[in-house]
Amino acid sequence: MSIAPSATPAGVAPTWTTGSTEVFKTGTWRASLARHVHAPSPCHQACPVGGDIAEWIGHARAGDWRGAWEVLTRHNPFPAIAGRICHHPCETACNRKGYDEAVSICKLERAAGDRALAEGWGFAPPAAERAGRVAVVGGGPAGLSAAFQLRQRGWQVTLFESSAALGGLIRHGIPSYRLAREVLDAEIARIVALGVDVRLGAAVDSPQTLAALRASHDAVFVATGAARPKRLAQLAPDGVRVLDGAAYLAACSAGAPPALGPRVVVIGGGSAAMDAARSARRAGHAVTLLALESRDQMPAQREELDEALEEDITLADGAMLKRLEPAPDGLRLHCTRVRFERGDTPGRFRVEPVAGSDFSIAADAVLVSIGADADLTPFDGVVAADGALLAAGRDGATAADGVWAGGDVASMARFVTEAVGMGKRAALAIDRQLRADAGEDVGAAADDEGAPVPLASIATWYHGHAARAAAPTLAPELRLRDAAEVQLGLEVEQALAEAVRCFSCGSCTACDNCVTVCPDLAVSRAPGGGYMVSLDYCKGCGLCVRECPTGSMRMEEEAR
């Protein structure tokens, strides 16, 4: 017995005769909607200069080093310098660190910066010149950063530097074995070439001088650094056997290190102390580093400490000087072990001596490198102070009309790239203020970028495990012969492989995964780039979000 097929009612088409599933508007099913986003990466939010890290690494990944350098220098005109000395908090924040190892962002930045120097790339001149005049006081990293940003926006910039050369800390305080002088000079020269009027040997050293400068300019940015070395009560510098570490580094930078005798003790645990110790080692001294902090607590970068130990510097960590006394063969430092506890704010700490742990160190000279304070006397009565710093907001604005401040004179965040970031933010604030004063509509200030993309939002199965590129270093037995750089750059192949390791968190790479996996064909490429999600068809299944290798798709609750 056969069963005849049922007849289709008159006037009703079979289900698939339309040839398209567009008639099924599955968007009515959803409780949440997928959206294509450009979100901040953790490395971007950790970067002191606010660099667009995922974007410039994307250019590097494609072999476009010029594009990478141009994106880098939107925020930081010193990629070759920062690629050598930055404390790279971006790498601590890197999502890849939770997968295998953080991307070597700092070394990639150096690769782009070094390529720019080798190829002779320069900055384009300002698109238009403006009549406003800005004085920048201080030619260190904060002042140079501000001068760069202001000149790029067309403002007339005069930079006042008290010494005979630009660079500040990065010239006088960072040795050439960490930062080659030709690299330093080239990246500074590129900024000056934009048309910065440089006045060397021009100290702004009194409130009257600062007030006169303010009267003759539309704005002033103060970035005079911190040049007053901190002292230890039990040590009185005599310039012969007890010296300031910063002064010693400046003398070494000038090619005239003082004679100190065969045995030198450096007191301090930060990068400046490490630089003083390693410079003294290169001058032929046997060096002991005495630090309050334990090895794991020392503020110096770990690679600096490792390299210092490779260079036969003796470390006495978790220890404190009690007193110094003359000895028949030089000096004797009486010390004790301590338990070190860092405070809630920079510069605050507590130490507890360990009973029965006293010891002594024989020396011929002592270098004290425990930090420095800013000299605020030139600003007395003109710019308000907040303790040992000039009082300034995040954008560098002070309570004094038309005066901004940044760098070590206004912050305890004593890192070069922190100063570069402060110079940039102040310059942008000055630009905004001067344009508003000229009657321009500057619009609303930029909003907070929101939360960074977490590792859980990355479809890591699209990223194979790969070891972090290891940049070579100069062999320890070769380091003490001259001032050659210890840390060497990545080879081209290493740099490209490292760029591939970047997850590109929050920055879409146009892989089309979201289009491919959507069961309702609700995702399509947008005409201007990126992707569109159709409200008619997205049913909120979340497949596109799950399969996004960069965390650039997000589910959002939809209230109806």
Side-chain angles (χ1 to χ4, degrees), residues 183-229:
V183 173
L184 171 64
D185 291 338
E187 292 209 309
I188 291 176
R190 199 163 48 200
I191 295 172
V192 175
L194 280 171
V196 178
D197 179 12
V198 177
R199 310 284 178 87
L200 298 175
V204 178
D205 52 8
S206 71
Q208 293 77 23
T209 306
L210 179 63
L213 208 60
R214 174 65 188 94
S216 59
H217 292 78
D218 297 289
V220 176
F221 176 62
V222 173
T224 48
R228 281 187 169 176

Side-chain angles (χ1 to χ4, degrees), residues 55-56 58-74 79 111-125 190:
E55 183 180 352
W56 69 256
H59 284 285
R61 185 166 52 244
D64 177 15
W65 289 102
R66 179 66 186 254
W69 178 78
E70 288 176 350
V71 174
L72 263 167
T73 53
R74 288 177 194 161
D114 284 354
R115 177 69 66 91
L117 295 178
E119 299 289 339
W121 299 337
F123 299 126
R190 199 163 48 200

